[in-house]
Amino acid sequence: MDIPILAGMISTVVFAVSNLPMLRKALRTKDVSSYSLSSIAMINAANAVYSLYVFSLPVGPIWALHTFYVISCAIMLVLCVRTRLARMHQQQADASADDAESVFTDHLDVVGLDTDDARAARAA
C-alpha cells in the first residue's frame, strides 16, 4: 500500500474518532448552548464549498473524512437551530404569560384592589 494513502487512512480515523465524543454528547444531551450558531453555519458553508474540491479528487481517505465532517457539522447545525428556536418559543410563551398576568393584575387595580398589599387581597 502507498504510504500517503495509509497516512490518509490513519489520519481520517484519528480525526473522526476525536470528533465523536463531542458529537455523541451533543446528540445525547441536546445541549449545544456553548456552540456559536454563526460559527457552525460558517463551517457548514465552508464544507459545502470545499466539497467541490474534495469530490473532484479521486476516491480516497479524504472523501471519507470530508463526508464525516459534512454530516457531523450538519447535525450540529440542526441541533443549534432547534435549540435556538425552542429557546425563542419559550421566551415568547413566557412573555405571553407575563402579559396575561399583567392584564389580570391591571384589572385588579381598576377594581380598586392594591395588588402589592396582601391585606387588600385578603379583604377582597
Side-chain angles (χ1 to χ4, degrees):
M1 182 175 279
D2 196 17
I3 295 294
I5 297 295
L6 181 62
M9 290 171 58
I10 292 170
S11 65
T12 295
V13 170
V14 171
F15 282 127
V17 168
S18 70
N19 278 304
L20 285 176
M22 170 200 65
L23 192 56
R24 188 178 317 121
K25 181 180 178 185
L27 287 169
R28 183 174 38 85
T29 64
K30 306 286 191 251
D31 180 17
V32 290
S33 59
S34 63
Y35 296 99
S36 163
L37 179 60
S38 60
S39 175
I40 291 178
M42 286 178 19
I43 288 169
N44 277 274
N47 276 338
V49 172
Y50 192 59
S51 292
L52 297 173
Y53 166 69
V54 169
F55 296 127
S56 72
L57 298 172
V59 175
I62 190 70
W63 276 47
L65 179 60
H66 187 64
T67 301
F68 174 81
Y69 279 146
V70 167
I71 291 170
S72 62
C73 290
I75 289 170
M76 293 299 289
L77 180 63
V78 168
L79 289 174
C80 278
V81 168
R82 267 195 347 198
T83 299
R84 301 305 190 282
L85 288 174
R87 188 179 307 142
M88 281 181 10
H89 290 320
Q90 183 61 44
Q91 288 171 347
Q92 289 173 348
D94 291 347
S96 294
D98 290 344
D99 289 345
E101 183 179 321
S102 70
V103 167
F104 177 72
T105 56
D106 289 347
H107 176 70
L108 290 178
D109 287 340
V110 170
V111 174
L113 296 177
D114 183 6
T115 58
D116 292 334
D117 187 359
R119 292 173 296 170
R122 263 187 308 189

